[in-house]
């Protein structure tokens, strides 16, 4: 059973930065796509950013220019650098990995942006 484990969430003031990391429990295969999604209270889970093995990234309009996604294919990890954080970025952030045979999710890490 492949697991994705997130780390790096926490409480930060508006305008601050956080870095989220996600590591897969195996390096026996490489995810086609890795990414981050988030879910705020009372809202549906939404895409934040994704990145394919060739490093082509896709971002939600709400985070473009503030967030940067990166991955290490050899280590099967994905990271999300979040700058200029806003209160509306508050959510549980989930790591996601997709292969030709399935989709995997982490358990989520809380990010709270508040003064």
């Amino acid at each position: 059973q492949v697991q994705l484990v997130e780390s790096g969430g926490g409480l930060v003031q508006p305008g601050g930065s956080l870095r989220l990391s996600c590591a897969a429990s195996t390096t026996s295969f490489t995810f086609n796509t890795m990414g981050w999604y988030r879910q705020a209270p009372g809202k549906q889970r939404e895409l934040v950013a994704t990145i394919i093995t060739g490093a082509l990234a896709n971002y939600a309009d709400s985070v473009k220019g503030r967030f940067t996604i990166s991955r290490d294919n050899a280590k099967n990890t994905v990271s999300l650098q979040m700058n200029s954080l806003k209160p509306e970025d508050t959510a549980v952030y989930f790591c996601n990995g997709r292969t030709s045979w399935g989709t995997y999710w982490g358990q989520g890490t809380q990010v709270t942006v508040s003064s």
Side-chain angles (χ1 to χ4, degrees), residues 26-99:
T26 180
T27 57
S28 63
F29 65 87
T30 301
F31 292 99
N32 295 336
T33 305
M34 298 191 80
W36 292 92
Y37 291 71
R38 68 187 181 187
Q39 187 167 17
K43 295 188 177 181
Q44 291 188 331
R45 191 173 298 187
E46 63 177 5
L47 179 147
V48 176
T50 59
I51 184 168
I52 64 172
T53 51
L56 182 64
N58 177 57
Y59 297 93
D61 288 343
S62 59
V63 307
K64 282 181 181 177
R66 300 188 297 122
F67 292 9
T68 302
I69 190 170
S70 59
R71 66 184 291 176
D72 185 325
N73 293 329
K75 296 180 179 179
N76 240 352
T77 61
V78 63
S79 297
L80 186 69
Q81 178 66 42
M82 305 185 294
N83 299 328
S84 302
L85 283 160
K86 304 176 181 180
E88 51 263 43
D89 295 317
T90 295
V92 178
Y93 284 69
F94 296 89
C95 176
N96 172 275
R98 297 180 187 272
T99 67

